[in-house]
Amino acid sequence: MAATSLGRRIGTVVKEELRSKGAWRDSLMAAASRAIAERISLANLVVQVRDARIPLSSECEILRNYPLPHKQIIVLNKMDLAGASNVKAWVEYFREMNCVSCGVNAHNKENIRQLLSLIQRQVSELKRDDQCDNNYTATVMLIGIPNVGKSALINALHQVGRINAAEKGKLKHATVSPEPRETKDIRSFKIGSHPNIYVLDTPAVLSPENLNVAVLSKLILTGAVGDCLVRRKEVAQYFLAILNSSDQYKKWAKLSMKDNDRSFLNGTTEQLTSSELHMKKKIQFQTDHTQDCIVQDVRRKLFETISSLEGEIKCEDEMLALIDRQFSALQEAFHVSGECEEDAHDKVAGKLLNLFRTGRIGHYILDHLPGKIQ
């Protein structure tokens, strides 16, 4: 399939780029790995945070190198970008693998309360197993690859945990950034009382040389690996190939108006007052691509280009031709000026990837459930 071919091409480029930066990158990863190795033996519970869109590809493989505590939880963060039903299927898969897991949106307080309750239940079981006094204190280590939302989760757990315990004092904050590898050291945050529970925020760890190109392509599409390693247009082409091969676009059918509907709308436009017309144009032609009206137009353009395809979507040449038409249509939807094609397409790619990564153009799971025929 074209999506597989484009993904393999991107993954190969990323792997080569990372190899060329080997010494610098290896020193960062080595420092982060040492920091985790020195403290993991102190943890009573390990919480591995993964991206819900790539439940397998976002595994933190470094954990395989260390003796781990008996208790572990796999947290599928960013479930709002993957879709609740999709995440539920993966939680069931991990349950069958004898792994405790849950789906979470770090910005949803109810989700955070449920995660905190799960952590507290696991800690309570540890406390029962441990013949200790009433001053039992548990240490939870959060571990994950870059940009899976560890720090956002910790801030939310810290805030909700302190509110539940009615504790006062200044809140600490883990650094949250859209850029990978922002966390530089290990800090502790209290998230529970009776028993006391502290969570450790760790530096993100990723060893790309151990990953295959298919995994790397998914990591760069979701933002775990920086866009600077490959042209944004190539990443956007990979996303469009995934979208075009899915049924997501069918949900946008109602956004596509027939020609007579457009004629009617154009006719009513002529009857608007000058001030109303100015406001209409102001709303429609701002360059902020996150506005609802622009997002809707992007969805409509995507639906119309895919549904008008007369060739075979599984044919790579047909797919690439479709993607070329989509870039032209999206340049209009995003109101990117008619500059040189390369610069215009780069801007279109950046805006499109932002909408994908923030969930504005659908929910996607990029990993396939093992054993499930796609």
Side-chain angles (χ1 to χ4, degrees), residues 38-49:
E38 290 169 358
R39 295 167 176 81
I40 199 166
S41 61
L42 304 176
N44 305 102
L45 173 68
V46 166
V47 175
Q48 184 182 171
V49 184

Side-chain angles (χ1 to χ4, degrees), residues 218-258:
K218 297 171 187 176
L219 295 180
I220 198 162
L221 180 55
T222 55
V225 176
D227 287 337
C228 61
L229 297 175
V230 63
R231 291 170 56 212
R232 286 193 298 186
K233 182 177 179 179
E234 294 183 29
V235 183
Q237 287 174 323
Y238 175 43
F239 164 67
L240 285 172
I242 292 171
L243 168 65
N244 296 342
S245 303
S246 73
D247 291 330
Q248 176 65 46
Y249 75 98
K250 295 179 181 179
K251 299 177 182 178
W252 305 328
K254 63 182 180 180
L255 300 175
S256 180
M257 296 186 295
K258 297 184 182 298

Side-chain angles (χ1 to χ4, degrees), residues 15 18-19 25-26 206-212 216:
K15 196 152 193 171
L18 289 170
R19 280 176 179 163
R25 176 182 49 78
D26 290 346
L206 180 64
S207 300
E209 65 273 7
N210 298 326
L211 303 177
N212 62 49
L216 282 171

